Amino acid sequence: MLTEVIQKIEGRPMTEQRKTRKPGRAIRRMKIKDLDDGRQLIDMVLSAPDHDYATEIYYDVKKIEHVMSVEVEQL
């Protein structure tokens, strides 16, 4: 399940048509932690194209199944 979430965040190609697109978001650093209630916390640094707004990234990650909470910081 975590692998699927990571693939969706990076926007990995799902079809042959998407494989021809330019690289988009990429995870630069990631930390995964088990929480006491059995859930996992993923803390990551994501690089994205300049044309991606922080709000767009927030909403894209928020709509991924099993994601319960999102925090986005633009550096």
Side-chain angles (χ1 to χ4, degrees):
M1 186 179 331
L2 287 177
T3 302
E4 292 171 12
V5 171
I6 293 165
Q7 288 173 336
K8 288 179 181 179
I9 290 171
E10 284 189 322
R12 291 219 179 150
M14 300 295 181
T15 65
E16 290 296 321
Q17 180 184 12
R18 289 193 64 199
K19 287 182 182 179
T20 60
R21 286 189 173 181
K22 294 180 182 178
R25 300 173 186 161
I27 296 172
R28 298 295 178 202
R29 190 185 60 196
M30 181 173 13
K31 178 180 170 182
I32 301 172
K33 179 181 177 180
D34 284 331
L35 302 177
D36 292 335
D37 61 2
R39 295 181 298 159
Q40 293 81 34
L41 171 70
I42 302 176
D43 184 11
M44 66 177 65
V45 173
L46 178 72
S47 65
D50 290 338
H51 59 81
D52 279 5
Y53 292 109
T55 52
E56 182 180 12
I57 294 168
Y58 170 84
Y59 289 120
D60 286 350
V61 174
K62 184 76 175 174
K63 69 182 177 186
I64 296 172
E65 187 177 5
H66 305 294
V67 171
M68 299 182 76
S69 177
V70 177
E71 181 177 331
V72 174
E73 179 179 352
Q74 189 171 2
L75 303 174

XYZ file of all heavy atoms in Angstrom:
617
model
N 0.827 -1.192 0.000
C 0.000 0.000 0.000
C 0.874 1.259 0.000
O 0.572 2.196 -0.714
C -0.922 -0.018 1.207
C -1.903 1.097 1.203
S -3.072 1.183 2.570
C -3.294 -0.475 3.092
N 1.932 1.278 0.803
C 2.802 2.458 0.829
C 3.448 2.696 -0.538
O 3.574 3.841 -0.968
C 3.894 2.308 1.889
C 3.453 2.450 3.339
C 4.632 2.199 4.274
C 2.846 3.793 3.606
N 3.831 1.622 -1.198
C 4.452 1.750 -2.515
C 3.485 2.401 -3.505
O 3.880 3.260 -4.298
C 4.912 0.374 -3.033
O 5.821 -0.184 -2.088
C 5.591 0.492 -4.386
N 2.219 2.019 -3.438
C 1.215 2.605 -4.334
C 1.047 4.090 -4.069
O 0.929 4.885 -5.005
C -0.121 1.897 -4.158
C -0.127 0.465 -4.638
C -1.394 -0.278 -4.265
O -2.372 0.369 -3.827
O -1.408 -1.507 -4.401
N 1.039 4.473 -2.804
C 0.920 5.890 -2.454
C 2.111 6.661 -3.002
O 1.951 7.727 -3.605
C 0.796 6.070 -0.920
C 0.894 7.540 -0.534
C -0.515 5.471 -0.416
N 3.304 6.122 -2.827
C 4.518 6.788 -3.315
C 4.487 6.929 -4.835
O 4.811 7.982 -5.380
C 5.771 6.010 -2.849
C 5.906 6.118 -1.328
C 7.026 6.521 -3.551
C 6.864 5.122 -0.723
N 4.061 5.879 -5.534
C 3.980 5.939 -6.994
C 2.984 7.001 -7.446
O 3.229 7.717 -8.415
C 3.580 4.576 -7.564
C 4.684 3.561 -7.460
C 4.243 2.168 -7.871
O 3.069 1.837 -7.830
N 5.197 1.344 -8.245
N 1.871 7.122 -6.745
C 0.873 8.127 -7.116
C 1.382 9.537 -6.849
O 1.104 10.456 -7.614
C -0.435 7.866 -6.374
C -1.153 6.649 -6.898
C -2.432 6.391 -6.153
C -3.109 5.135 -6.696
N -4.345 4.823 -5.988
N 2.122 9.718 -5.770
C 2.680 11.044 -5.469
C 3.675 11.455 -6.551
O 3.677 12.591 -7.014
C 3.341 11.054 -4.076
C 2.261 10.962 -2.992
C 4.203 12.309 -3.883
C 2.793 10.740 -1.594
N 4.516 10.525 -6.973
C 5.493 10.825 -8.016
C 4.848 10.917 -9.390
O 5.453 11.427 -10.318
C 6.581 9.749 -8.055
C 7.582 9.869 -6.931
C 8.755 8.934 -7.109
O 8.558 7.786 -7.567
O 9.870 9.359 -6.793
N 3.624 10.409 -9.527
C 2.962 10.433 -10.826
C 3.618 9.508 -11.815
O 3.766 9.840 -12.981
N 4.025 8.349 -11.351
C 4.686 7.378 -12.229
C 3.751 6.975 -13.361
O 2.548 6.908 -13.181
C 5.100 6.141 -11.435
C 6.208 6.447 -10.465
C 7.178 5.331 -10.424
N 8.253 5.663 -9.511
C 8.916 4.769 -8.826
N 8.616 3.508 -8.921
N 9.886 5.150 -8.046
N 4.299 6.669 -14.510
C 3.470 6.306 -15.671
C 2.609 5.080 -15.401
O 3.085 4.099 -14.861
C 4.480 5.993 -16.764
C 5.765 6.566 -16.315
C 5.713 6.650 -14.818
N 1.346 5.180 -15.787
C 0.431 4.055 -15.660
C 0.142 3.438 -17.031
O -0.264 2.316 -17.128
C -0.898 4.515 -15.039
C -0.751 5.111 -13.665
S -0.192 3.880 -12.496
C -0.159 4.849 -11.009
N 0.368 4.203 -18.091
C 0.107 3.713 -19.444
C 1.278 4.060 -20.344
O 2.127 4.877 -19.999
C -1.170 4.366 -20.026
O -0.930 5.770 -20.168
C -2.382 4.139 -19.144
N 1.322 3.449 -21.495
C 2.376 3.742 -22.465
C 2.364 5.212 -22.889
O 3.385 5.822 -23.115
C 2.221 2.858 -23.703
C 2.538 1.403 -23.442
C 3.987 1.180 -23.055
O 4.881 1.832 -23.630
O 4.238 0.364 -22.159
N 1.166 5.793 -23.002
C 1.033 7.183 -23.428
C 1.744 8.121 -22.448
O 2.406 9.055 -22.855
C -0.446 7.550 -23.529
C -0.690 8.986 -23.955
C -2.168 9.326 -23.957
O -2.988 8.582 -23.452
N -2.503 10.449 -24.511
N 1.624 7.869 -21.160
C 2.226 8.748 -20.154
C 3.734 8.588 -20.088
O 4.426 9.452 -19.580
C 1.615 8.471 -18.785
C 0.177 8.956 -18.705
C -0.334 8.990 -17.315
N 0.424 9.961 -16.553
C 0.471 9.978 -15.233
N -0.191 9.107 -14.543
N 1.182 10.879 -14.603
N 4.285 7.487 -20.562
C 5.735 7.276 -20.497
C 6.498 8.275 -21.346
O 7.685 8.480 -21.141
C 6.079 5.844 -20.913
C 5.693 4.820 -19.871
C 6.096 3.430 -20.289
C 5.642 2.431 -19.251
N 5.984 1.070 -19.611
N 5.839 8.903 -22.306
C 6.518 9.858 -23.176
C 6.567 11.259 -22.569
O 7.239 12.131 -23.087
C 5.817 9.933 -24.541
O 4.463 10.342 -24.350
C 5.855 8.585 -25.250
N 5.877 11.472 -21.460
C 5.875 12.794 -20.825
C 7.205 13.087 -20.145
O 7.955 12.199 -19.776
C 4.769 12.866 -19.771
C 3.399 12.966 -20.356
C 2.416 13.245 -19.256
N 1.109 13.498 -19.839
C 0.051 13.789 -19.127
N 0.124 13.852 -17.820
N -1.089 14.010 -19.714
N 7.469 14.368 -19.950
C 8.666 14.790 -19.243
C 8.547 14.382 -17.774
O 7.455 14.256 -17.237
C 8.807 16.315 -19.315
C 9.067 16.833 -20.703
C 9.186 18.338 -20.671
C 9.397 18.877 -22.063
N 9.465 20.339 -22.082
N 9.701 14.198 -17.109
C 9.650 13.849 -15.694
C 8.928 14.936 -14.899
O 9.069 16.122 -15.182
C 11.118 13.776 -15.290
C 11.895 13.701 -16.552
C 11.042 14.290 -17.627
N 8.177 14.531 -13.921
C 7.426 15.478 -13.109
C 7.962 15.515 -11.693
O 9.124 15.822 -11.472
N 7.136 15.159 -10.772
C 7.501 15.180 -9.353
C 8.408 14.006 -9.022
O 8.236 12.912 -9.523
C 6.235 15.106 -8.517
C 5.318 16.267 -8.782
C 4.000 16.096 -8.076
N 3.113 17.192 -8.486
C 1.817 17.157 -8.348
N 1.217 16.113 -7.832
N 1.094 18.185 -8.732
N 9.373 14.275 -8.140
C 10.300 13.226 -7.720
C 10.555 13.353 -6.228
O 10.757 14.457 -5.717
C 11.613 13.342 -8.484
N 10.554 12.238 -5.546
C 10.839 12.225 -4.110
C 12.350 12.264 -3.937
O 13.075 11.433 -4.480
C 10.231 10.979 -3.450
C 8.702 11.038 -3.573
C 10.662 10.884 -1.990
C 7.987 9.783 -3.142
N 12.816 13.241 -3.187
C 14.259 13.412 -2.965
C 14.715 12.762 -1.662
O 15.848 12.303 -1.554
C 14.630 14.902 -2.933
C 14.333 15.614 -4.216
C 15.195 15.077 -5.312
N 14.883 15.736 -6.573
C 15.154 15.233 -7.738
N 15.729 14.066 -7.843
N 14.829 15.883 -8.832
N 13.839 12.766 -0.661
C 14.169 12.186 0.638
C 12.871 11.683 1.245
O 11.823 12.306 1.082
C 14.818 13.239 1.530
C 15.420 12.679 2.798
C 15.935 13.773 3.666
N 14.791 14.643 3.983
C 14.880 15.856 4.469
N 16.034 16.384 4.687
N 13.814 16.556 4.729
N 12.950 10.555 1.983
C 11.742 10.019 2.569
C 12.061 9.335 3.893
O 13.089 8.696 4.047
C 11.108 9.002 1.615
C 9.839 8.411 2.126
S 8.942 7.351 0.960
C 10.054 7.048 -0.339
N 11.146 9.501 4.843
C 11.248 8.861 6.152
C 9.884 8.224 6.434
O 8.855 8.890 6.327
C 11.579 9.907 7.211
C 11.666 9.381 8.617
C 12.004 10.531 9.556
C 11.869 10.151 10.994
N 12.148 11.288 11.887
N 9.875 6.942 6.785
C 8.633 6.240 7.098
C 8.696 5.819 8.558
O 9.697 5.256 9.010
C 8.449 5.003 6.202
C 8.430 5.424 4.734
C 7.171 4.250 6.571
C 8.437 4.260 3.762
N 7.625 6.091 9.287
C 7.597 5.822 10.723
C 6.296 5.111 11.085
O 5.217 5.492 10.622
C 7.679 7.149 11.484
C 7.624 7.022 12.983
C 7.700 8.393 13.636
C 7.575 8.283 15.136
N 7.649 9.595 15.774
N 6.391 4.049 11.907
C 5.208 3.381 12.433
C 4.656 4.188 13.596
O 5.400 4.586 14.498
C 5.552 1.972 12.935
C 5.740 0.974 11.809
O 5.110 1.162 10.751
O 6.508 0.015 11.989
N 3.346 4.411 13.578
C 2.675 5.097 14.679
C 2.084 4.073 15.642
O 1.898 2.901 15.279
C 1.580 6.019 14.132
C 2.048 7.093 13.141
C 0.853 7.885 12.619
C 3.070 8.016 13.778
N 1.788 4.496 16.854
C 1.282 3.595 17.886
C -0.043 2.945 17.513
O -0.346 1.845 17.974
C 1.127 4.338 19.216
C 2.465 4.734 19.816
O 3.477 4.073 19.498
O 2.494 5.698 20.599
N -0.842 3.598 16.695
C -2.162 3.063 16.342
C -2.133 2.149 15.110
O -3.177 1.793 14.574
C -3.162 4.198 16.135
C -2.771 5.139 15.007
O -1.738 4.892 14.359
O -3.496 6.116 14.784
N -0.935 1.759 14.646
C -0.819 0.846 13.523
C -0.714 1.525 12.165
O -0.489 0.866 11.155
N -0.876 2.840 12.119
C -0.740 3.571 10.860
C 0.726 3.916 10.634
O 1.561 3.697 11.500
C -1.583 4.845 10.893
C -3.078 4.570 10.978
C -3.888 5.830 10.988
N -3.568 6.634 12.168
C -3.789 7.936 12.273
N -4.341 8.598 11.279
N -3.477 8.593 13.368
N 1.017 4.435 9.443
C 2.372 4.869 9.121
C 2.357 6.352 8.772
O 1.396 6.855 8.203
C 2.942 4.091 7.925
C 3.176 2.631 8.173
C 1.918 1.807 8.040
O 1.063 2.106 7.230
N 1.799 0.772 8.856
N 3.455 7.012 9.116
C 3.659 8.417 8.782
C 4.783 8.485 7.764
O 5.854 7.904 7.974
C 4.045 9.209 10.038
C 4.499 10.647 9.832
C 3.323 11.512 9.394
C 5.112 11.191 11.099
N 4.538 9.164 6.646
C 5.580 9.354 5.636
C 5.923 10.837 5.605
O 5.064 11.676 5.374
C 5.111 8.910 4.227
C 4.681 7.455 4.225
C 6.236 9.136 3.221
C 4.125 6.999 2.886
N 7.178 11.132 5.842
C 7.694 12.501 5.765
C 8.635 12.515 4.569
O 9.577 11.724 4.512
C 8.438 12.831 7.060
C 8.927 14.251 7.111
O 8.529 15.068 6.258
O 9.733 14.559 8.009
N 8.361 13.388 3.594
C 9.189 13.376 2.398
C 9.470 14.768 1.869
O 8.721 15.703 2.135
C 8.537 12.534 1.298
C 7.247 13.069 0.761
S 6.552 12.082 -0.584
C 6.198 10.557 0.228
N 10.558 14.861 1.124
C 10.889 16.064 0.374
C 10.634 15.720 -1.086
O 11.182 14.746 -1.611
C 12.357 16.480 0.591
C 12.716 17.633 -0.320
C 12.598 16.839 2.050
N 9.787 16.523 -1.695
C 9.360 16.274 -3.068
C 9.788 17.443 -3.939
O 9.552 18.600 -3.594
C 7.826 16.144 -3.079
C 7.124 15.918 -4.391
C 7.391 14.492 -4.872
C 5.631 16.129 -4.217
N 10.436 17.151 -5.045
C 10.724 18.225 -5.997
C 9.683 18.155 -7.102
O 9.271 17.070 -7.515
C 12.136 18.118 -6.556
O 12.292 16.950 -7.317
N 9.240 19.321 -7.546
C 8.179 19.398 -8.550
C 8.532 20.486 -9.556
O 9.277 21.415 -9.255
C 6.855 19.711 -7.873
N 7.968 20.381 -10.754
C 8.206 21.426 -11.750
C 7.729 22.788 -11.240
O 6.828 22.875 -10.412
C 7.349 20.978 -12.942
C 7.117 19.523 -12.741
C 7.119 19.308 -11.263
N 8.347 23.838 -11.748
C 8.006 25.200 -11.326
C 6.538 25.534 -11.546
O 5.975 26.343 -10.822
C 8.870 26.219 -12.065
C 10.318 26.189 -11.617
O 10.581 25.721 -10.491
O 11.182 26.635 -12.397
N 5.922 24.931 -12.541
C 4.522 25.258 -12.846
C 3.527 24.568 -11.907
O 2.336 24.844 -11.978
C 4.191 24.944 -14.307
C 4.403 23.508 -14.689
N 3.486 22.527 -14.406
C 5.433 22.901 -15.314
C 3.950 21.367 -14.857
N 5.128 21.576 -15.410
N 3.995 23.673 -11.015
C 3.109 23.038 -10.031
C 2.964 23.946 -8.812
O 3.951 24.256 -8.146
C 3.672 21.693 -9.571
C 3.395 20.563 -10.528
O 2.852 20.822 -11.612
O 3.715 19.412 -10.188
N 1.748 24.378 -8.544
C 1.489 25.174 -7.350
C 1.455 24.264 -6.121
O 1.095 23.085 -6.213
C 0.138 25.887 -7.450
C 0.093 26.955 -8.506
C -0.637 26.768 -9.670
C 0.761 28.157 -8.324
C -0.695 27.760 -10.642
C 0.717 29.155 -9.286
C -0.018 28.946 -10.439
O -0.063 29.923 -11.398
N 1.813 24.808 -4.963
C 1.763 24.042 -3.719
C 0.349 23.540 -3.454
O 0.155 22.415 -2.975
C 2.253 24.897 -2.554
N -0.649 24.346 -3.788
C -2.036 23.931 -3.572
C -2.406 22.747 -4.466
O -3.140 21.853 -4.045
C -3.006 25.099 -3.839
O -2.728 25.646 -5.133
C -2.858 26.175 -2.786
N -1.883 22.740 -5.688
C -2.148 21.634 -6.607
C -1.554 20.331 -6.059
O -2.198 19.279 -6.082
C -1.542 21.964 -7.973
C -1.780 20.917 -9.022
C -1.151 21.292 -10.352
O -0.352 22.243 -10.432
O -1.474 20.605 -11.332
N -0.338 20.409 -5.530
C 0.306 19.237 -4.940
C -0.492 18.769 -3.724
O -0.745 17.578 -3.551
C 1.766 19.554 -4.559
C 2.573 19.829 -5.830
C 2.380 18.419 -3.754
C 3.936 20.434 -5.587
N -0.922 19.710 -2.893
C -1.719 19.386 -1.707
C -2.972 18.596 -2.099
O -3.244 17.526 -1.551
C -2.104 20.664 -0.959
C -3.114 20.440 0.130
C -2.712 20.021 1.397
C -4.473 20.612 -0.107
C -3.643 19.796 2.395
C -5.413 20.389 0.883
C -4.988 19.989 2.135
O -5.912 19.747 3.110
N -3.744 19.123 -3.038
C -4.990 18.456 -3.436
C -4.735 17.117 -4.121
O -5.495 16.163 -3.928
C -5.837 19.366 -4.327
C -6.445 20.516 -3.575
C -6.155 21.825 -3.912
C -7.299 20.304 -2.492
C -6.704 22.894 -3.215
C -7.853 21.355 -1.777
C -7.553 22.650 -2.157
O -8.098 23.694 -1.447
N -3.669 17.015 -4.913
C -3.337 15.748 -5.572
C -3.015 14.663 -4.543
O -3.450 13.518 -4.669
C -2.160 15.915 -6.525
C -2.533 16.649 -7.801
O -3.743 16.870 -8.043
O -1.604 17.021 -8.552
N -2.238 15.020 -3.528
C -1.870 14.045 -2.499
C -3.073 13.731 -1.611
O -3.312 12.573 -1.257
C -0.675 14.544 -1.658
C -0.384 13.599 -0.502
C 0.564 14.710 -2.540
N -3.851 14.727 -1.276
C -5.015 14.555 -0.399
C -6.036 13.572 -0.971
O -6.669 12.834 -0.228
C -5.663 15.925 -0.160
C -6.807 15.921 0.807
C -6.319 15.816 2.214
C -7.512 15.944 3.162
N -7.125 15.720 4.519
N -6.176 13.519 -2.294
C -7.189 12.647 -2.894
C -6.716 11.202 -3.081
O -7.484 10.354 -3.510
C -7.690 13.230 -4.216
C -6.697 13.220 -5.335
C -7.297 13.862 -6.571
C -6.264 13.920 -7.687
N -6.744 14.649 -8.836
N -5.468 10.906 -2.729
C -4.967 9.537 -2.827
C -5.600 8.689 -1.724
O -5.628 9.096 -0.557
C -3.425 9.497 -2.722
C -2.793 10.242 -3.894
C -2.915 8.061 -2.676
C -1.295 10.418 -3.783
N -6.089 7.520 -2.107
C -6.727 6.623 -1.148
C -5.747 6.259 -0.033
O -4.559 6.050 -0.273
C -7.182 5.354 -1.871
C -8.001 4.434 -1.013
C -8.493 3.212 -1.769
O -8.114 3.027 -2.938
O -9.270 2.465 -1.176
N -6.217 6.213 1.176
C -5.480 5.876 2.393
C -4.673 7.049 2.958
O -4.088 6.917 4.025
C -4.561 4.669 2.212
C -5.265 3.447 1.706
N -6.213 2.777 2.443
C -5.170 2.781 0.532
C -6.666 1.754 1.750
N -6.062 1.745 0.581
N -4.613 8.168 2.274
C -3.932 9.345 2.818
C -4.933 10.071 3.723
O -6.021 10.447 3.293
C -3.437 10.298 1.687
C -2.926 11.599 2.269
C -2.349 9.608 0.880
N -4.553 10.255 4.980
C -5.472 10.825 5.959
C -5.203 12.298 6.222
O -6.113 13.045 6.557
C -5.400 10.029 7.259
C -5.785 8.571 7.068
S -5.765 7.657 8.583
C -7.269 8.258 9.309
N -3.956 12.723 6.093
C -3.601 14.090 6.406
C -2.440 14.524 5.517
O -1.558 13.711 5.211
C -3.206 14.184 7.881
O -2.800 15.476 8.219
N -2.442 15.789 5.118
C -1.390 16.301 4.225
C -0.919 17.650 4.737
O -1.725 18.481 5.180
C -1.932 16.475 2.784
C -0.872 17.063 1.873
C -2.450 15.160 2.234
N 0.377 17.865 4.673
C 0.949 19.175 4.981
C 1.955 19.469 3.881
O 2.847 18.666 3.612
C 1.643 19.151 6.341
C 2.232 20.474 6.735
C 2.850 20.443 8.134
O 2.393 19.664 8.978
O 3.789 21.220 8.348
N 1.818 20.617 3.232
C 2.723 20.996 2.140
C 3.388 22.311 2.516
O 2.742 23.253 2.963
C 1.939 21.167 0.803
C 2.845 21.702 -0.284
C 1.316 19.839 0.392
N 4.692 22.351 2.312
C 5.464 23.557 2.560
C 6.271 23.855 1.314
O 6.950 22.982 0.787
C 6.399 23.350 3.748
C 7.258 24.542 4.059
C 8.161 24.272 5.269
O 8.008 23.246 5.924
O 9.017 25.136 5.513
N 6.184 25.071 0.842
C 6.951 25.460 -0.345
C 8.228 26.133 0.107
O 8.218 27.069 0.899
C 6.130 26.415 -1.212
C 6.764 26.692 -2.531
C 5.818 27.473 -3.448
O 4.719 27.827 -3.066
N 6.264 27.722 -4.649
N 9.353 25.636 -0.393
C 10.664 26.173 0.003
C 11.230 27.046 -1.080
O 10.924 26.968 -2.213
C 11.635 25.038 0.308
C 11.167 24.058 1.384
C 12.152 22.901 1.491
C 11.047 24.755 2.713
